[in-house]
Amino acid sequence: MDPVITAKHLSKTYGKKALAFRALKDINLTIYPGESVAIVGKSGSGKSTLMHLLALLDRPTEGQILIDGSNASQLRSRQLNRLRNRRFGFVFQQFFMNANDTVLDNVLLPLKIAGLSRFKRKAKALDALKVVDLENKAKSKANDLSGGQKQRVCIARAIVNDPEVIFADEPTGNLDSATGDKITDLLFKLNHKHGVTLIIVTHDEDLAKLCNRIIRLSDGKIISDQTVRKNLKVSASTRREKEAARVKKANRG
Amino acid sequence: MKLTDQIITANHNLFRNKTRTFLTILAVFIGSFTIILSNAVNVGVNDFIDKQVESIGGDDFVMVFPAAMSDQITAITTSGSKITEYNPTTGSALTASITDEDLTKLQNVDGVKLLEIYHILTPEWVTSSKTDKLYTISVEYFPSDNVNMDVLVGKMPDNKSDRFEILLNEDYVSALGFKDNESAVGADITIGIKQTAACYTRPNDCVAKVTATVTGVQAPSVLSMDGDLYINSALDQELYSLSIAGIPNELVSQNNFVAVGNIEPDKISQIREEFREVGYELMTIDDEIGLIRTFFDVILIVFNIFGAIALLAASIGIINTLFMSVQERTREIGLMKAMGLSNGKIFFAFSLEAILLGFWGSVIGIAMSMLVGYIGNDIAHQAFLSDFPTFQLVVFDPVRMGIITLIIMFIAFLAGTLPARRAAHQNPIDALRYE
Ligand SMILES: Nc1ncnc2c1ncn2[C@@H]1O[C@H](COP(=O)(O)OP(=O)(O)OP(=O)(O)O)[C@@H](O)[C@H]1O
Ligand SMILES: [Mg+2]
């Protein structure tokens, strides 16, 4: 299978001269379609930075990123925008919603940007809201939702354009374990059923264990990159493990 | 993102902060209102002048006078007589007279059909068999083939006719005892004119009487100066010869300041040149009207400058509003960029908001100036414009208003480019990190 995203000798330096800070150092990795990748590491280790680079939201200081085998830095901005709009979905560390718009308007934003007709985008956004079990909140103001509901809206927004790759930065970070599990279920369902590639940044080891691959970062370097299961369609075993994880978590809490 | 979506979104975003948007639109409105209203008044005035000129015709009519007198003539025709310092070498203001020799020269210029000395006629009174009263009167003779006053009934006096003919206006119809306009046409009236020379010997019996036929009745018009009644050439000659009877010829010719006549209108510029060589200036009806127009055009320019200054201030308001809006929506911009909205579209989104500010300012400006203009027009008609029912003080020319709106939207767009550029060039990640 051909890789979706390949990173070669990626470095990212923030600031200049005396203030320069190397947040990422010589990162090499290859991500195949259908993988679920967890990026873990301590706070400040460069997880978000790496995710942003892989998602083509920011440019590396050195090195390159290949999408479907071709160099992303050579894409025209139109192609780049189209790529992000059609093939990627994002869940950011903070929610990032337009607080005064309705839930529906927030979810259909990527489709509006894509230029879909009013009717189609509404239908698709409602479908996405159904997936996260929030279709009854479509008309509510985004600001009036609870934290968990907001995060689910963000997931709905990330999946509304049927992306090939979902980038999620701490998708369960601000949530209680029950809501967190709901969201985790959702993401992995997409991975298993539709073969959506997941790239999840997390500091939650339990969540990381659900992924088939765990990349550990420390001070901007990859210290380990383990593929747990080669088989990508292992819904049953995943579910069992997930149950176990949930029990463990419940016991701890 | 589709254009319609962009416009709807921009308009929606604009009204998120209602107070701020309202105040910015108010600033634009002040400028647009000034410009639109002053333009409407200008169009109204010009339209009215055009209608009057068109209705009068007379594009072949010229007034000729010695070049030395052009200042005085201009002053008199535009603002009545003007006070000037006495100059012993030139004597009183109107001195230069037209000699017979010059008149022949001018008469022979190509394109000139007729040129004759203008008679200053001051008839004493007018009356008819239907009344015992005498009324004051002033008359005017137009040596033109196509003068066409606003004739309500009948026709214009005929310059080629040997009969004495006169055009009444509506005020005289009832004063002279006629039942209505129709019954006045074809009737005879009597004009009395003083014979200056005879008055020295018979002061109480020196008014000669002339009977003239009414050819028609005209509506009052601004250009029929002070209610002058139009007479034909034959009546003009008759009244003139009666008034100067017995006065020596040398004295009479001293009063020849102005000649009037008709020409071929398309040769006007050559004629003007050739007259200048001989030392004479000429003035057409258009020239005369042009002076009035210039006056209103200057007023328009002054008001447009006020409006432009207001718009400049409004532009700064637009820049400020949009900078605040870009600041507030930094994250939203980052989010939309992350989701693939291009820099160009972000730029366009903010430019659209600026353009919409301009648009709403203009639309409200148009609405308010229409309201104020029409109310003002009604008030004016009840007061000082009551004699001119056809004079619309304000005329809102859709093309002109459209152009003004477009210009204001363009100015707003220019103002918006600064904040829009800032928004467009934000890095999506920096924007998302913005707290
Ligand atoms: N724009 C920036 N300018 C300067 N330094 C930055 C910038 N963004 C990130 N950094 C630094 O880069 C390092 C990595 O940041 P990053 O956000 O990737 O961490 P992280 O692993 O996601 O941490 P967390 O788990 O707390 O979210 C941090 O030390 C951070 O201070
Ligand atoms: Mg982070």
Side-chain angles (χ1 to χ4, degrees):
Chain A
M1 219 186 307
D2 295 328
V4 248
I5 304 175
T6 311
K8 288 185 176 169
H9 307 294
L10 279 192
S11 294
K12 178 73 186 177
T13 307
Y14 287 115
K16 292 209 170 75
K17 292 182 183 158
L19 290 171
F21 175 76
R22 288 191 80 190
L24 287 181
K25 298 158 197 165
D26 195 33
I27 302 283
N28 289 288
L29 54 87
T30 305
I31 294 168
Y32 290 92
E35 277 194 294
S36 52
V37 182
I39 300 174
V40 292
K42 283 203 303 257
S43 177
S45 56
K47 305 183 296 291
S48 298
T49 305
L50 177 59
M51 189 195 100
H52 293 155
L53 289 182
L54 295 178
L56 309 179
L57 290 170
D58 208 353
R59 288 181 183 274
T61 319
E62 281 163 54
Q64 49 185 249
I65 293 164
L66 310 181
I67 302 288
D68 299 333
S70 54
N71 194 338
S73 67
Q74 261 142 36
L75 290 177
R76 292 158 185 278
S77 58
R78 253 189 79 146
Q79 294 169 305
L80 193 66
N81 283 326
R82 203 183 155 81
L83 178 73
R84 281 207 303 257
N85 184 249
R86 304 285 156 95
R87 294 178 57 191
F88 291 174
F90 300 101
V91 182
F92 293 102
Q93 193 163 3
Q94 288 85 11
F95 302 127
F96 295 149
M97 285 197 292
N98 297 330
N100 291 317
D101 286 350
T102 63
V103 166
L104 189 71
D105 283 340
N106 269 286
V107 173
L108 56 71
L109 193 58
L111 304 178
K112 199 169 168 185
I113 291 169
L116 251 67
S117 76
R118 220 159 240 281
F119 179 76
K120 269 196 196 155
R121 65 190 186 218
K122 194 178 166 187
K124 289 195 81 173
L126 282 174
D127 282 348
L129 279 172
K130 208 171 283 170
V131 172
V132 299
D133 209 12
L134 275 178
E135 74 256 55
N136 56 336
K137 292 281 185 189
K139 292 268 179 289
S140 312
K141 229 168 101 173
N143 216 24
D144 298 342
L145 300 187
S146 74
Q149 288 172 328
K150 278 181 187 163
Q151 192 68 309
R152 271 144 71 197
V153 172
C154 289
I155 303 255
R157 187 176 62 190
I159 64 172
V160 75
N161 56 345
D162 304 320
E164 291 166 35
V165 185
I166 292 178
F167 296 91
D169 198 345
E170 305 280 11
T172 58
N174 309 309
L175 306 177
D176 63 90
S177 59
T179 325
D181 286 348
K182 222 177 195 172
I183 285 175
T184 315
D185 274 351
L186 241 158
L187 289 173
F188 282 95
K189 208 193 268 167
L190 287 169
N191 178 247
H192 296 152
K193 272 202 187 157
H194 305 287
V196 175
T197 310
L198 293 182
I199 298 174
I200 300 172
V201 169
T202 182
H203 61 263
D204 177 354
E205 285 293 332
D206 294 330
L207 173 57
K209 279 193 192 108
L210 293 176
C211 297
N212 78 328
R213 181 172 169 190
I214 300 174
I215 296 171
R216 291 183 194 279
L217 282 186
S218 175
D219 289 337
K221 276 189 283 205
I222 294 182
I223 52 168
S224 83
D225 182 349
Q226 294 171 285
T227 301
V228 185
R229 279 165 258 102
K230 282 277 178 215
N231 179 6
L232 300 176
K233 302 251 175 191
V234 281
S235 47
S237 64
T238 319
R239 206 162 288 159
R240 234 178 290 124
E241 282 204 32
K242 211 158 61 180
E243 283 304 324
R246 209 176 273 171
V247 171
K248 220 165 98 187
K249 208 186 238 170
N251 287 346
R252 234 192 291 142
Chain B
M1 204 162 174
K2 285 192 292 190
L3 182 65
T4 45
D5 282 333
Q6 285 221 290
I7 295 173
I8 293 166
T9 310
N11 208 30
H12 173 78
N13 285 338
L14 207 55
F15 290 98
R16 274 197 209 170
N17 194 325
K18 290 192 186 63
T19 324
R20 196 169 69 200
T21 302
F22 171 76
L23 290 174
T24 314
I25 289 177
L26 189 68
V28 177
F29 155 75
I30 292 169
S32 67
F33 175 79
T34 313
I35 291 175
I36 288 166
L37 192 60
S38 57
N39 268 276
V41 171
N42 190 268
V43 175
V45 169
N46 273 315
D47 259 20
F48 184 62
I49 294 173
D50 280 347
K51 264 189 228 151
Q52 295 285 328
V53 172
E54 202 178 301
S55 69
I56 281 191
D59 60 349
D60 60 343
F61 172 78
V62 288
M63 203 162 92
V64 180
F65 45 86
M69 281 176 43
S70 65
D71 280 356
Q72 289 96 313
I73 298 283
T74 316
I76 289 168
T77 48
T78 53
S79 60
S81 56
K82 148 181 106 172
I83 183 161
T84 47
E85 200 183 331
Y86 178 74
N87 181 337
T89 57
T90 56
S92 75
L94 300 171
T95 48
S97 58
I98 302 174
T99 64
D100 289 347
E101 193 190 337
D102 284 350
L103 193 62
T104 327
K105 251 192 239 169
L106 298 176
Q107 182 81 69
N108 288 333
V109 168
D110 181 37
V112 175
K113 290 200 250 172
L114 168 81
L115 208 58
E116 52 193 36
I117 297 300
Y118 176 70
H119 304 141
I120 300 166
L121 293 175
T122 51
E124 287 297 295
W125 45 254
V126 64
T127 189
S128 79
S129 56
K130 301 245 187 326
T131 177
D132 302 331
K133 295 200 179 107
L134 303 179
Y135 294 94
T136 56
I137 178 178
S138 65
V139 295
E140 182 105 41
Y141 154 58
F142 248 122
S144 166
D145 292 339
N146 61 7
V147 168
N148 178 23
M149 292 299 164
D150 213 349
V151 178
L152 298 172
V153 237
K155 53 183 175 49
M156 289 291 292
D158 183 2
N159 284 334
K160 299 199 175 63
S161 164
D162 294 335
R163 290 200 312 170
F164 302 147
E165 295 183 346
I166 186 165
L167 182 72
L168 287 186
N169 75 30
E170 277 188 304
D171 294 343
Y172 280 92
V173 170
S174 50
L176 293 176
F178 296 110
K179 214 166 63 243
D180 51 27
N181 292 347
E182 281 77 10
S183 57
V185 177
D188 281 348
I189 58 161
T190 308
I191 299 168
I193 183 136
K194 197 182 254 177
Q195 295 181 284
T196 316
C199 285
Y200 289 105
T201 51
R202 310 175 256 122
N204 293 324
D205 179 27
C206 60
V207 176
K209 298 183 180 94
V210 180
T211 301
T213 310
V214 176
T215 56
V217 179
Q218 80 170 115
S221 144
V222 264
L223 295 179
S224 66
M225 294 123 189
D226 313 322
D228 281 356
L229 301 182
Y230 289 88
I231 58 177
N232 71 343
S233 177
L235 183 54
D236 175 66
Q237 287 296 338
E238 176 69 8
L239 290 171
Y240 183 62
S241 45
L242 285 171
S243 72
I244 61 164
I247 299 177
N249 213 26
E250 310 86 75
L251 282 178
V252 171
S253 67
Q254 276 183 7
N255 283 328
N256 297 345
F257 310 119
V258 178
V260 289
N262 60 10
I263 50 133
E264 293 170 33
D266 33 335
K267 292 192 178 150
I268 179 72
S269 48
Q270 294 130 265
I271 297 174
R272 202 188 287 272
E273 278 307 305
E274 292 195 41
F275 275 33
R276 279 203 181 129
E277 278 166 29
V278 191
Y280 288 85
E281 285 292 338
L282 61 78
M283 198 182 234
T284 60
I285 288 187
D286 254 7
D287 293 337
E288 213 170 306
I289 300 304
L291 292 165
I292 303 172
R293 276 193 220 274
T294 312
F295 172 72
F296 280 100
D297 285 347
V298 169
I299 291 181
L300 175 71
I301 290 168
V302 170
F303 274 94
N304 276 351
I305 290 172
F306 287 154
I309 292 170
L311 283 181
L312 189 74
S315 302
I316 295 168
I318 290 175
I319 295 175
N320 190 36
T321 301
L322 288 186
F323 264 133
M324 277 154 83
S325 169
V326 170
Q327 191 100 344
E328 281 167 13
R329 276 150 56 195
T330 303
R331 273 208 180 165
E332 192 186 328
I333 294 165
L335 188 65
M336 293 205 291
K337 280 192 158 189
M339 288 173 177
L341 194 62
S342 67
N343 290 4
K345 292 248 164 94
I346 301 254
F347 178 86
F348 186 58
F350 280 92
S351 298
L352 256 182
E353 285 187 33
I355 292 171
L356 283 171
L357 285 170
F359 173 77
W360 288 121
S362 306
V363 167
I364 298 173
I366 289 173
M368 282 305 288
S369 49
M370 279 184 145
L371 191 73
V372 170
Y374 287 137
I375 291 173
N377 194 42
D378 281 356
I379 293 171
H381 273 286
Q382 278 158 25
F384 58 94
L385 285 179
S386 53
D387 288 342
F388 305 108
T390 57
F391 182 11
Q392 292 299 315
L393 189 60
V394 286
V395 171
F396 292 93
D397 173 19
V399 175
R400 204 185 263 230
M401 284 194 297
I403 291 171
I404 293 170
T405 305
L406 286 180
I407 291 174
I408 290 175
M409 282 162 73
F410 182 69
I411 293 172
F413 163 75
L414 287 183
T417 51
L418 272 134
R421 270 177 62 94
R422 176 181 286 185
H425 289 137
Q426 252 160 11
N427 175 316
I429 286 305
D430 289 345
L432 281 174
R433 275 184 199 271
Y434 180 86
E435 296 292 332

